Amino acid sequence: MTTPQYTLVIPLKPPATAKSRLAPAVGALRPELALAFALDTVDAALRSACVAGVVAVCDDPAAGAELALAGAVVIPDAPAAGLNAALNHGAEYARSALGAGAVAAMSADLPALLPAELTRVLTAAHPFPRAFLADTQGVGTVLLAAGAGVRLAPAFGGESRARHAASGAVELTPLDAATVRRDVDTGADLAVALALGVGPRTLATLGRMQATAYTYSPDSRSGQVLLDDGTALKFDAAAFDAGGLRLLRPGQRVRIETEGEGGERRITLITLQTF
Ligand SMILES: Nc1nc2c(ncn2[C@@H]2O[C@H](COP(=O)(O)OP(=O)(O)OP(=O)(O)O)[C@@H](O)[C@H]2O)c(=O)[nH]1
Ligand SMILES: C=C(OP(=O)(O)O)C(=O)O
């Protein structure tokens, strides 16, 4: 049996506006994390035996440059009419400009994605003209595939599992594909993705925001944290107040926001880590 070959279409809003539901858990690093998820998703996808290429639909120049470095063909978000229009545009481009046969739209927020699990899903999709995989919650969709010459007809957004089923696409289930189904919209989703194991870019981005409380003086509302590489970094009362905490105990895991680099790196906010 030959291995089916799909060209994936992956949509990404400009990171500055993406992943708004993650803001309470990750604060100012949300745009960087949204891009990290997409880069890890593209990297893992391109290592699946069933993926011939990835088309990323993204209007943001900086994000687009990084997605291209990761190996995606990046195209602008035409006609700028939302997610499904972007996916239609990506699928048409894949076929007209890249000569793609089978295409699949896939979420950009799968930081735990394993290539072998994606291979399993695309192999399962291949016998059907159109097929889809629901997200872990069973409400949305993480992947919609269409065979050569078949219109993708994406209906992503909100409760898209029901829409894709009603459109005649075959639902793929059950499958051993937890990392494909694990899209990350909230801090709770991120905790589950971390337990599955996330890609290197997501891990590095999270590493910039995580630390452990080391010392804290209630009198001055200041103290020190230990970064995960063992470096100690001080925080002052302004940073403590910015995080909205009442007290801090040594050993608690914290989320920090910083400015500057190296010896100049300074904590601007410290709060408890919630994912
Ligand atoms: N290119 C493109 N991608 C989009 C558009 N709308 C949404 N997306 C992407 O489609 C996926 C699902 O989008 P949403 O659930 O609406 O947004 P999100 O950024 O994941 O998260 P929230 O802001 O929390 O809703 C994400 O990868 C988005 O970046 C669009 O108009 N154009
Ligand atoms: C766009 C979708 O997902 P989410 O809003 O969960 O990112 C979807 O599942 O169709």
Side-chain angles (χ1 to χ4, degrees):
M1 199 180 82
T2 57
T3 309
Q5 292 294 296
Y6 281 85
T7 299
L8 297 194
V9 182
I10 294 185
L12 185 65
K13 286 196 265 202
T17 59
K19 292 279 142 233
S20 56
R21 283 167 281 174
L22 260 185
V26 306
L29 277 180
R30 177 187 50 75
E32 201 174 320
L33 203 54
L35 178 59
F37 290 172
L39 291 170
D40 282 337
T41 301
V42 168
D43 182 65
L46 284 169
R47 286 186 284 115
S48 161
C50 289
V51 173
V54 169
V55 174
V57 188
C58 180
D59 257 357
D60 184 85
E66 294 222 47
L67 289 163
L69 267 181
V73 175
V74 182
I75 62 170
D77 195 344
L83 174 55
N84 291 307
L87 292 173
N88 275 323
H89 174 56
E92 279 159 22
Y93 180 89
R95 285 181 169 147
S96 62
L98 305 180
V103 295
M106 191 173 79
S107 298
D109 56 2
L110 310 178
L113 183 64
L114 288 177
E117 292 196 353
L118 179 57
T119 297
R120 198 173 292 144
V121 171
L122 292 170
T123 303
H126 192 240
F128 306 108
R130 283 171 74 248
F132 72 98
L133 185 70
D135 62 11
T136 312
Q137 285 92 342
V139 174
T141 305
V142 289
L143 183 140
L144 172 70
V150 179
R151 274 190 62 233
L152 187 61
F156 280 80
E159 298 181 7
S160 60
R161 176 194 191 178
R163 283 198 301 278
H164 285 136
S167 76
V170 171
E171 178 162 4
L172 302 169
T173 182
L175 275 164
D176 183 6
T179 70
V180 193
R181 301 186 68 185
R182 181 67 280 166
D183 56 346
V184 175
D185 290 317
T186 65
D189 297 339
L190 183 54
V192 181
L194 278 169
L196 288 170
V198 294
R201 186 65 179 244
T202 300
L203 208 54
T205 304
L206 291 174
R208 288 176 51 74
M209 66 169 84
Q210 293 175 319
T212 304
Y214 183 39
T215 63
Y216 174 65
S217 153
D219 296 336
S220 62
R221 302 197 312 291
S222 64
Q224 283 177 288
V225 299
L226 284 181
L227 303 179
D228 289 353
D229 67 3
T231 314
L233 211 54
K234 290 180 184 162
F235 59 90
D236 60 15
F240 185 77
D241 292 345
L245 296 179
R246 293 198 4 235
L247 66 115
L248 198 57
R249 291 194 183 87
Q252 282 180 311
R253 287 294 281 170
V254 292
R255 176 171 72 76
I256 56 171
E257 293 182 11
T258 63
E259 60 184 24
E261 293 297 332
E264 301 294 301
R265 194 168 179 215
R266 206 176 68 77
I267 298 179
T268 56
L269 179 149
I270 179 166
T271 193
L272 291 184
Q273 185 180 297
T274 58
F275 55 84

